[in-house]
Amino acid sequence: AHVRAAHALLPDWLERGGGRFVSTVSAAGLLTMIGTAPYSVTKHGAYAFAEWLSLTYRHRGVKVHAICPQGVRTDMLDASGSAGDLVLKPTAIEPEDVADALFRGIEEDRFLILPHPEVAEYYRARATDPDRWLTGMNRVQQHWE
């Protein structure tokens, strides 16, 4: 969907000299989520595509934002099952909080928008010590099982 949207929007934006693309990614696109391989993999792809759009078209006036919330109190969270109950529900936020974070991020012209500030630390930990990160996530997986 992100690729199709960009394909439809980019020609006019490039002709105009600007546009704004907001990619709703998810923290799963940065961190991976237990119990949901297809969701995690597609969210990783959505994040990578947003990065690609930004680095490719930034100089031509296209602004790109990747918003990556964790749990958000919606029907989707309610349907996420026991993995969502374990990992997401304890720190879930309201949809309005996500929207507020998005508008702040746009105002500040930030690419990566994290409605859950702790995701920045998790992402840093994953990047700097992937083996430790994977061991910790495997413990979460074992607890969930």
Side-chain angles (χ1 to χ4, degrees):
H2 295 104
V3 173
R4 286 184 176 146
H7 183 74
L9 297 168
L10 275 168
D12 288 340
W13 288 350
L14 296 174
E15 187 176 311
R16 260 197 327 249
R20 185 174 309 273
F21 192 91
V22 177
S23 184
T24 303
V25 176
S26 167
L30 302 173
L31 306 172
T32 306
M33 174 61 184
I34 63 168
T36 61
Y39 184 79
S40 292
V41 170
T42 58
K43 293 303 182 174
H44 277 283
Y47 184 75
F49 184 66
E51 277 187 331
W52 182 87
L53 280 176
S54 183
L55 70 88
T56 302
Y57 296 109
R58 169 179 296 241
H59 69 286
R60 296 186 62 189
V62 176
K63 297 181 180 286
V64 180
H65 309 277
I67 186 159
C68 300
Q70 278 187 299
V72 181
R73 292 186 189 108
T74 64
D75 292 343
M76 186 175 169
L77 179 61
D78 291 339
S80 67
S82 58
D85 290 347
L86 175 66
V87 177
L88 302 174
K89 278 194 179 176
T91 60
I93 61 177
E94 296 298 326
E96 294 81 8
D97 298 324
V98 177
D100 290 343
L102 174 62
F103 289 121
R104 273 192 314 277
I106 288 172
E107 222 172 74
E108 296 167 5
D109 198 25
R110 282 186 284 121
F111 169 76
L112 181 58
I113 301 171
L114 302 173
H116 292 82
E118 63 270 23
V119 171
E121 270 312 303
Y122 302 155
Y123 191 44
R124 194 172 353 271
R126 179 181 174 266
T128 58
D129 194 346
D131 290 316
R132 183 175 180 193
W133 172 258
L134 290 168
T135 297
M137 288 302 290
N138 182 253
R139 284 190 196 110
V140 174
Q141 174 70 30
Q142 290 175 55
H143 177 73
W144 177 59
E145 288 176 7

